[in-house]
Amino acid sequence: MRASSRIDTVAVRAGHHVAPDTGAITEPITMSVSFERDADGGHSRGYHYGAAGNPNRSALEHALAALEGGSEALTFASGSAAISAVLRTVLSPGAHVLLPRDVFQGTARLLVRLSEWGVDHDMVDMTSMDALIRAFRPNTALVWTETLSNPLLNVADIGAIASLAHRREAVHVVDNTFATPMFHQPLAFGADFVVHSSTKYLSGHGDVVGGNVILGDAAPHAGRLRELQWIDGAVPSPFDCWLTHRGLKTLPCRMRAHAANAARIAEFLAAHPQVIEVYYPGLAGSPSRTDAAALLGGYGGVVSFRVAGGRQGALRVAGAVELFRHATSLGSVDSLIQHQASAPTHGTGTALPDDLLRLSVGLEHADDLIDDLDQALNPC
Ligand SMILES: *Cc1c(COP(=O)(O)O)cnc(C)c1O
């Protein structure tokens, strides 16, 4: 392995260049919408119009492709825009899609919309290869997987699912938002496309909404997807690209710290009398622990758990925390808590327990986070 190919080095350096005119080490932000043409009308410098391309977007796309080991990456104005672009590129009327039962709600909602255009879907337990095989139909064109599912943190065997999908001539897309390339690189296991909400860990600071698609070497329809990115216009601003690209520099450090904090919190919760069940694949005794250890380089920063007292009990805890913020989203340095059943993003299909809370464990000190959960869980 070349020294420059380790993930910490790739994260800090990929896509960054010293500016030839000023010597600036940190990438400048190029806000220009228009790019000057050559005397003969060409665009030898690579850009013509902001919706079609921008230097900050190119730099970010280069870094994302390097981190995931892909042939190219495309960035979008949100994770959902990236997901929508992949669905509309890969699927045509009459196609059938398989999704995890606890898939991100936005993905499920996009597929409900696509049913109006003649695309069907079924939700299956992606931790069971038998269930997945049984769910296949002759017209199954796409298998959608999340490396770590949201919010129950089920672990999918990406390699096994990719080979099954390919045997059945279906495309395999992996939403790698929760694991990030730090803990899993689905393209190396045979996935065709990886998608991310970079709103979460990739940007990492809760200040950018963004998304991206990374293509494997043999990903079909690459040209169509690139064209849709432009003609659809759901592209990120140069500043959002710059912020996300900056966030990537600390991704490996942040992910190690998120995971270390999450592991401590999961252990604390598992031993707490007010807690009914903890979902964290790194927890000793977790049903997905063996799979997770074989498949992932780490277990991420999200921990879900059920508390005593049903829906009211869960809402009380979410309202009683002081350090955790009671808000949606995940993947930021700030710790967040969310009551899943009452979240605005909750909706389609999946039945989650009413007493389920999801933590996005941030980078505050683990002891302070544990003290906060302890005071919120113990009504005096
Ligand atoms: C948040 C999220 C998305 C959607 O991303 P946005 O940037 O909010 O549009 C997709 N997949 C997963 C797993 C997510 O957590």
Side-chain angles (χ1 to χ4, degrees):
M1 178 181 278
R2 281 177 42 229
S4 60
S5 64
R6 295 181 176 95
I7 194 162
D8 302 72
T9 309
V10 174
V12 174
R13 300 295 279 273
H16 295 282
H17 304 283
V18 176
D21 48 348
T22 61
I25 303 265
T26 299
E27 214 68 12
I29 303 175
T30 304
M31 294 301 285
S32 187
V33 168
S34 298
F35 295 85
E36 191 181 42
R37 297 171 73 153
D38 305 329
D40 66 1
H43 288 103
S44 60
R45 286 167 284 190
Y47 300 99
H48 55 99
Y49 180 61
N54 165 277
N56 295 101
R57 201 197 309 167
S58 305
L60 171 60
E61 290 176 346
H62 182 90
L64 290 165
L67 281 169
E68 284 284 8
S71 59
E72 66 175 305
L74 300 168
T75 52
F76 292 85
S78 69
S80 302
I83 291 169
S84 177
V86 171
L87 293 175
R88 286 177 297 134
T89 298
V90 170
L91 299 171
S92 38
H96 173 248
V97 180
L98 291 171
L99 296 172
R101 272 207 307 237
D102 58 342
V103 69
F104 169 70
Q105 289 299 311
T107 308
R109 283 186 193 172
L110 281 168
L111 277 152
V112 168
R113 281 297 181 93
L114 282 181
S115 66
E116 296 164 12
W117 297 81
V119 172
D120 287 335
H121 67 274
D122 281 304
M123 295 177 136
V124 291
D125 176 2
M126 289 280 170
T127 63
S128 157
M129 289 307 287
D130 288 343
L132 185 58
I133 288 167
R134 278 198 306 276
F136 260 86
R137 292 199 212 152
N139 58 337
T140 302
L142 170 61
V143 179
W144 192 276
T145 320
E146 294 177 354
T147 339
L148 281 167
S149 73
N150 175 16
L152 297 180
L153 290 314
N154 288 313
V155 181
D157 184 343
I158 301 300
I161 296 172
S163 22
L164 173 63
H166 292 154
R167 278 202 303 282
R168 303 293 187 97
E169 289 176 14
V171 172
H172 185 210
V173 183
V174 177
D175 184 335
N176 202 31
T177 299
F178 274 46
T180 81
M182 178 62 191
F183 293 142
H184 193 77
Q185 291 168 323
L187 299 176
F189 288 81
D192 299 297
F193 297 90
V194 167
V195 302
H196 284 277
S197 166
S198 47
T199 313
K200 316 293 169 51
Y201 291 109
L202 297 187
S203 65
H205 295 74
D207 49 17
V208 192
V209 173
N212 55 71
V213 183
I214 300 114
L215 284 71
D217 291 334
H221 316 299
R224 264 164 58 83
L225 188 60
R226 173 73 71 186
E227 187 197 31
L228 189 61
Q229 179 199 36
W230 171 17
I231 60 179
D232 228 14
V235 290
S237 74
F239 184 49
D240 282 356
C241 292
W242 186 91
L243 280 173
T244 304
H245 200 183
R246 182 176 70 164
L248 291 182
K249 285 178 181 264
T250 54
L251 179 73
C253 297
R254 283 186 287 108
M255 291 314 294
R256 284 187 200 103
H258 280 296
N261 274 0
R264 289 225 24 228
I265 286 172
E267 271 168 42
F268 159 78
L269 290 171
H272 199 283
Q274 293 291 312
V275 173
I276 296 170
E277 192 162 1
V278 180
Y279 303 86
Y280 187 67
L283 193 64
S286 155
S288 54
R289 171 71 190 243
T290 321
D291 287 348
L295 298 170
L296 302 173
Y299 309 112
V302 177
V303 179
S304 294
F305 65 108
R306 296 179 56 203
V307 286
R311 181 187 181 89
Q312 285 318 311
L315 281 168
R316 194 197 59 72
V317 172
V321 288
E322 289 164 5
L323 196 51
F324 279 85
R325 305 279 188 203
H326 187 187
T328 196
S329 199
L330 61 109
S332 166
V333 291
D334 293 270
S335 290
L336 305 178
I337 188 168
Q338 164 157 286
H339 176 241
Q340 287 302 120
S342 63
T345 46
H346 186 70
T348 319
T350 57
L352 290 173
D354 244 12
D355 52 11
L356 187 75
L357 293 166
R358 185 186 76 187
L359 301 177
S360 171
V361 179
L363 301 187
E364 303 88 345
H365 199 286
D367 291 339
D368 292 332
L369 294 171
I370 287 171
D371 287 348
D372 188 31
L373 289 170
D374 200 28
Q375 65 78 23
L377 281 163
N378 297 322
C380 41

